[in-house]
Amino acid sequence: MTLPHIAIDGPVASGKSTVALMVARRLNLLYIDTGAMYRVVALAALRDGVDLDDGEALAELPQRHQIDLKPAADARGYAVCLDGVDVTAQLFRGAVTAAVSTIAAQPQVRRVLVERQREIARHHAVVMAGRDIGTVVLPNAPFKVFLTASVAERVRRRLEEMRAAGSTIDAQTLREEVERRDHTDTTRAESPLVPAQGALVLDSSALSAEEVVDRIVSWVASSTAAGA
Ligand code: DC
């Protein structure tokens, strides 16, 4: 049986987490932010003092620690527990954000996390957000979306979000950080960020999150009706 999975990929701050959560809530599907899985491995690595380039040691972390993702009714839509403790807020701080791209470039880490992501999708209809969901994790998903936006717009959105959370980061530093992560994510040898074949490519630079969600939900509804 093919579950009606929706894969949403895109670069940093393209709005995919916001959009994926809204689509999941509209269609009553489970929302999985795979970025959070890479982030919690990064947090565990920093805590355990594991070398960020040691793929073998990093890949053992999800086995050595208990990692749980649970749906939540808040704005993020989920909570992540590491060894039974809610660490969600820590996943989005500077140290983890600075380390995560390096970790996500390690093939051994990707193998372990991709298998976990597929296991979740075997049991649930999901809206899964990430960088390689349509290309690698769920290549047979019936709905694949590649969400993008200009660098200027992505920096503007992320700056607003970070300032609201109390950060004093300046626009230029943030732009450099976004460009550095874009570069790492799109040029890595293992599962680089590219649109999947057949993906609906949406540039959200001039669209609100609601408008993006409406387009995805209409696409899913019309395809489902056409196939019914
Ligand atoms: O979406 P995010 O910013 O929380 O992702 C954190 C990092 O993890 C980012 O550098 C890209 C990487 N990532 C990945 O390589 N593959 C995924 N499926 C999800 C995230």
Side-chain angles (χ1 to χ4, degrees), residues 16 34-35 38-39 100-101 104 110 130-132 181 185 188:
K16 59 187 184 307
T34 59
Y38 289 92
R39 284 174 182 271
V100 69
S101 280
R110 303 200 70 82
R131 303 290 193 290
D132 60 342
R181 285 179 61 203
D185 294 343
R188 68 182 178 217

Side-chain angles (χ1 to χ4, degrees), residues 203-220:
D203 185 330
S204 74
S205 305
L207 298 174
S208 68
E210 287 76 14
E211 287 170 320
V212 174
V213 172
D214 284 346
R215 288 191 191 196
I216 296 171
V217 170
S218 309
W219 179 48
V220 171

Side-chain angles (χ1 to χ4, degrees), residues 9-13 16-17 33-39 78 91-92 97 100-102 104-105 110 114 117 129-133 137 158 181 184-185 188 190-191:
D9 293 302
V12 55
K16 59 187 184 307
S17 305
D33 175 10
T34 59
M37 298 171 80
Y38 289 92
R39 284 174 182 271
Y78 63 85
L91 301 185
F92 300 92
T97 300
V100 69
S101 280
T102 310
R110 303 200 70 82
V114 166
Q117 291 151 14
R131 303 290 193 290
D132 60 342
I133 310 306
V137 180
R158 184 51 56 98
R181 285 179 61 203
T184 315
D185 294 343
R188 68 182 178 217
E190 184 84 8
S191 313

Side-chain angles (χ1 to χ4, degrees), residues 22-33:
M22 289 167 74
V23 170
R25 285 184 173 161
R26 286 260 286 267
L27 299 178
N28 200 21
L29 303 173
L30 177 67
Y31 164 51
I32 299 291
D33 175 10

Side-chain angles (χ1 to χ4, degrees), residues 94-156:
V96 169
T97 300
V100 69
S101 280
T102 310
I103 282 178
Q106 306 293 330
Q108 297 96 327
V109 174
R110 303 200 70 82
R111 265 196 288 284
V112 172
L113 294 188
V114 166
E115 191 37 53
R116 289 197 174 194
Q117 291 151 14
R118 289 184 179 148
E119 182 61 20
I120 295 169
R122 267 193 280 278
H123 300 287
H124 305 273
V126 291
V127 179
M128 197 172 269
R131 303 290 193 290
D132 60 342
I133 310 306
T135 49
V136 175
V137 180
L138 304 175
N140 297 321
F143 303 103
K144 299 176 195 173
V145 177
F146 190 85
L147 191 59
T148 185
S150 65
V151 173
E153 178 59 17
R154 291 189 286 128
V155 169
R156 192 195 64 74

Side-chain angles (χ1 to χ4, degrees), residues 65-87:
H65 294 277
Q66 188 176 340
I67 293 172
D68 298 298
L69 262 76
K70 301 174 189 167
D74 64 0
R76 198 179 296 284
Y78 63 85
V80 182
C81 291
L82 178 60
D83 299 323
V85 179
D86 187 337
V87 292

